[in-house]
Amino acid sequence: TNWRYEGVCCDDETTKGAYAPEIFRWNDAFYMVSSPGGRGHYVYRGASPVGPFERVTENFGLTIDGSAFIDSDGSAYFYSAADPAIRAYRMTAPNVVDPTPLKTAMNMRGWTEGPNVFCVDGVYYATYCGNHVFSRGYRIDAASGPSPLDLSPVPENPVLVSTEGAPVGIGHNSVVKGPN
């Protein structure tokens, strides 16, 4: 793969010091969710996955590491970090998140972050991580289940772990479906 720098995708002051930005598509637009300095979330809208993006919400809170999942039936969910497990919220629009938390079983017996939910052939999967940001342990756990709100940790957890080498930090990751 040949990567190409596309420039700054958003120059809104709320993106300075942003944690874990993520792009998702809703109908014919692209949205970026990000957490400024780890204090809540904003949503930004753009015509392309590389921007430019303009802010379309005020800060709606919900800790860090926001991630959106839009199911094939049009239902949408927002996931964010929490203790002791990832929390899910219903979305009624790309910029509207119901603040009522829905419990999930995605946990690492303490602070859990970096959620990413996706569906393959009718089975729902999620990846998520824990540890402390300065930990030498890079760990990713996974869950699967019959719906985006009914995901249980897989018995093979952790699915990825590394404690060697210079990099430190947790295993925040994501999975994207390409055009092919």
Side-chain angles (χ1 to χ4, degrees), residues 78-132:
F78 184 83
Y79 301 85
S80 69
D83 186 2
I86 298 296
R87 289 198 183 123
Y89 305 85
R90 294 193 190 279
M91 295 174 71
T92 56
N95 60 340
V96 180
V97 176
D98 182 329
T100 306
L102 305 167
K103 292 182 181 181
T104 76
M106 295 181 279
N107 73 74
M108 298 180 100
R109 297 182 194 96
W111 182 256
T112 306
E113 59 186 61
N116 181 244
V117 175
F118 55 101
C119 185
V120 178
D121 297 330
V123 178
Y124 296 83
Y125 299 92
T127 57
Y128 50 95
C129 58
N131 299 352
H132 186 273

Side-chain angles (χ1 to χ4, degrees), residues 4-140:
R4 179 176 76 219
Y5 178 66
E6 294 287 339
V8 174
C9 69
C10 184
D11 59 7
D12 190 287
E13 72 275 356
T14 59
T15 61
K16 290 181 175 52
Y19 284 23
E22 180 179 290
I23 309 295
F24 64 96
R25 187 175 187 161
W26 188 302
N27 296 328
D28 293 330
F30 292 89
Y31 295 86
M32 178 175 71
V33 61
S34 190
S35 181
R39 294 182 294 276
H41 292 93
Y42 290 86
V43 175
Y44 310 82
R45 182 180 191 275
S48 160
V50 297
F53 289 93
E54 294 183 13
R55 185 165 33 110
V56 294
T57 68
E58 292 303 314
N59 190 332
F60 57 91
L62 309 181
T63 72
I64 63 171
D65 292 357
S67 181
F69 172 72
I70 297 96
D71 207 347
S72 59
D73 67 1
S75 57
Y77 306 91
F78 184 83
Y79 301 85
S80 69
D83 186 2
I86 298 296
R87 289 198 183 123
Y89 305 85
R90 294 193 190 279
M91 295 174 71
T92 56
N95 60 340
V96 180
V97 176
D98 182 329
T100 306
L102 305 167
K103 292 182 181 181
T104 76
M106 295 181 279
N107 73 74
M108 298 180 100
R109 297 182 194 96
W111 182 256
T112 306
E113 59 186 61
N116 181 244
V117 175
F118 55 101
C119 185
V120 178
D121 297 330
V123 178
Y124 296 83
Y125 299 92
T127 57
Y128 50 95
C129 58
N131 299 352
H132 186 273
V133 69
F134 295 114
S135 169
R136 287 193 119 8
Y138 185 94
R139 174 180 174 163
I140 299 172

